Amino acid sequence: MPRIPDRATKNQPSPFRPARGGRALSPPTGTPPFWRSFSVLRWVCGVLLPVLLLLAPLTRAHAAPPHRAAVPGASPPLRTAIHHLLTIINRDRLAHHLPPLKLSGRQSRCSLAHSRQMARDDALSHDQFPTDICVPHGWSAENVGYYTAGPKVAIRQLHRMMMSEGPCPHAGCPGDEWFAHDHYVNLMDPAYHRIGIGLVVRDGTTWLTEDFTN
């Protein structure tokens, strides 16, 4: 079984396609010590305490672990592999000054269904595209591939091969250029902001579907 990703396809776009200042308080001249203590207490209660209360939730928010989108239907090892693949993709997009892709749990469910079909048929295909895009979108694209290894190794190898295609040498990828660079173009397209990832392992082979939407 060859270890290559399949060609990606891309559909046409649909026509329907964001300080407050303060003042210091000084006690009157010649006032007793208790007035000085009272002024300090007023400052603590009126200024310092509200600031501390505002900072507390901000500190907790920064310390919270990053949110991970749910991946319906995927086992824990495959969920880990999916999030790892997303990290690799976004690392490469960042290196090209592109915004990161956000994982769509809803689209990942539909991408998973397509990967399961390819595993059952033992063949790569785009026969469900673009009907397997199940989120609102204007643009969409799909990468599929398989690799004879577990998901941890497979996702790295498939992503490496897709990225090795490089960008099209000419604007718009005329002629056969698209078919030689389509996986890379889909991964690095700035028009896309979301991705659905479906991973299936069958008889030692990992099947991958990546669906991109704007």
Side-chain angles (χ1 to χ4, degrees):
M1 181 178 292
R3 300 179 178 182
I4 58 172
D6 188 33
R7 293 176 177 176
T9 59
K10 186 174 185 179
N11 69 337
Q12 295 299 316
S14 70
F16 310 105
R17 301 248 224 204
R20 297 175 60 182
R23 60 187 179 92
L25 296 176
S26 299
T29 304
T31 52
F34 77 89
W35 171 255
R36 299 177 184 271
S37 300
F38 179 68
S39 297
V40 172
L41 181 61
R42 285 181 60 190
W43 182 83
V44 170
C45 294
V47 178
L48 184 58
L49 186 58
V51 170
L52 292 176
L53 291 175
L54 286 173
L55 289 177
L58 291 176
T59 303
R60 288 195 298 269
H62 284 295
H67 172 70
R68 282 191 169 189
V71 186
S75 64
L78 290 182
R79 285 199 298 269
T80 299
I82 287 171
H83 284 288
H84 184 53
L85 175 58
L86 179 67
T87 299
I88 296 173
I89 293 173
N90 284 335
R91 179 195 63 196
D92 287 337
R93 285 176 66 91
L94 179 63
H96 290 79
H97 309 289
L98 298 173
L101 296 175
K102 181 179 179 181
L103 184 65
S104 168
R106 179 180 175 186
Q107 180 56 54
S108 293
R109 183 188 300 112
C110 299
S111 304
L112 175 61
H114 182 62
S115 291
R116 284 173 173 168
Q117 176 187 312
M118 293 192 298
R120 286 194 301 267
D121 297 341
D122 196 27
L124 293 173
S125 68
H126 290 289
D127 58 352
Q128 295 180 336
F129 182 82
T131 57
D132 58 351
I133 304 297
C134 56
V135 295
H137 66 282
W139 287 88
S140 63
E142 182 174 82
N143 289 347
V144 299
Y146 69 84
Y147 196 87
T148 307
K152 184 176 180 180
V153 173
I155 60 172
R156 286 182 173 274
Q157 293 298 324
L158 288 170
H159 182 72
R160 181 185 60 80
M161 286 187 286
M162 291 179 183
M163 289 296 294
S164 68
E165 295 173 356
C168 290
H170 300 96
C173 292
D176 292 336
E177 284 186 10
W178 167 254
F179 298 103
H181 303 274
D182 48 3
H183 298 100
Y184 177 94
V185 172
N186 288 339
L187 285 163
M188 295 293 109
D189 195 326
Y192 299 130
H193 304 287
R194 295 176 299 172
I195 185 173
I197 301 175
L199 276 180
V200 170
V201 179
R202 185 183 180 93
D203 298 329
T205 297
T206 299
W207 299 81
L208 168 67
T209 300
E210 297 172 338
D211 288 307
F212 307 86
T213 55
N214 62 347

